[in-house]
């Protein structure tokens, strides 16, 4: 098994950012954070930053968005579902990855959205 850690050490949280097993890479939940913290601008800005972070993480494995097969979306408010979908569609095209979406009470760092990804090599 191949472990990859980019941000875990910075946050001090006990997890790996990604774990590769056979032809699958499971990415931990990604928030809309850059080197300065959570980006401002709400759901759309956070989604755009999440995909910038994902792009970098996928590049480590020589992959891109077309390799993503599953997304788990956590929204702080289900009221943001339509706005989230608009932002999400800027980054994926058909055939879309499978996806689940849940509203949660709170997210780390005050985020409005967090997404976990699974990619296939």
């Amino acid at each position: 098994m191949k472990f990859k850690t980019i941000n875990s050490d910075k946050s001090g949280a006990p997890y790996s950012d990604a774990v590769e097993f056979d032809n699958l890479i499971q990415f931990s939940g990604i928030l809309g954070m850059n080197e300065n913290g959570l980006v401002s601008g709400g759901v759309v800005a956070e989604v755009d930053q999440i995909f910038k972070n994902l792009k970098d993480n996928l590049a480590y494995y020589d992959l891109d968005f077309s390799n993503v097969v599953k997304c788990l979306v956590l929204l702080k408010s289900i009221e943001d579902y339509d706005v989230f979908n608009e932002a999400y569609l800027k980054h994926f095209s058909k055939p879309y990855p499978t996806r689940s979406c849940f509203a949660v009470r709170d997210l780390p760092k005050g985020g409005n959205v967090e997404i976990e990804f699974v990619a296939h090599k």
Side-chain angles (χ1 to χ4, degrees), residues 72-92:
L72 172 63
V73 179
L74 305 172
L75 294 173
K76 189 172 179 180
S77 172
I78 203 65
E79 306 291 321
D80 291 326
Y81 185 74
D82 292 335
V83 172
F84 167 80
N85 279 329
E86 288 178 29
Y88 179 89
L89 285 172
K90 293 190 297 187
H91 304 283
F92 282 127

Side-chain angles (χ1 to χ4, degrees), residues 34-92:
N34 62 24
E35 60 280 350
N36 299 316
L38 188 69
V39 297
S40 61
V43 171
V44 173
E46 289 178 39
V47 170
D48 289 343
Q49 184 64 48
I50 287 168
F51 277 90
K52 286 178 188 173
N53 297 342
L54 176 63
K55 182 178 180 181
D56 292 342
N57 291 345
L58 288 167
Y60 177 87
Y61 293 99
D62 297 319
L63 304 175
D64 60 33
F65 295 148
S66 69
N67 295 98
V68 175
V69 295
K70 171 70 175 156
C71 302
L72 172 63
V73 179
L74 305 172
L75 294 173
K76 189 172 179 180
S77 172
I78 203 65
E79 306 291 321
D80 291 326
Y81 185 74
D82 292 335
V83 172
F84 167 80
N85 279 329
E86 288 178 29
Y88 179 89
L89 285 172
K90 293 190 297 187
H91 304 283
F92 282 127

Side-chain angles (χ1 to χ4, degrees), residues 8 15-19 26-30 57 114-117:
S8 296
Y15 66 87
S16 295
D17 292 299
V19 175
Q26 171 71 51
F27 293 93
S28 291
I30 300 174
N57 291 345
E114 181 175 356
I115 310 174
E116 290 183 6
F117 298 93

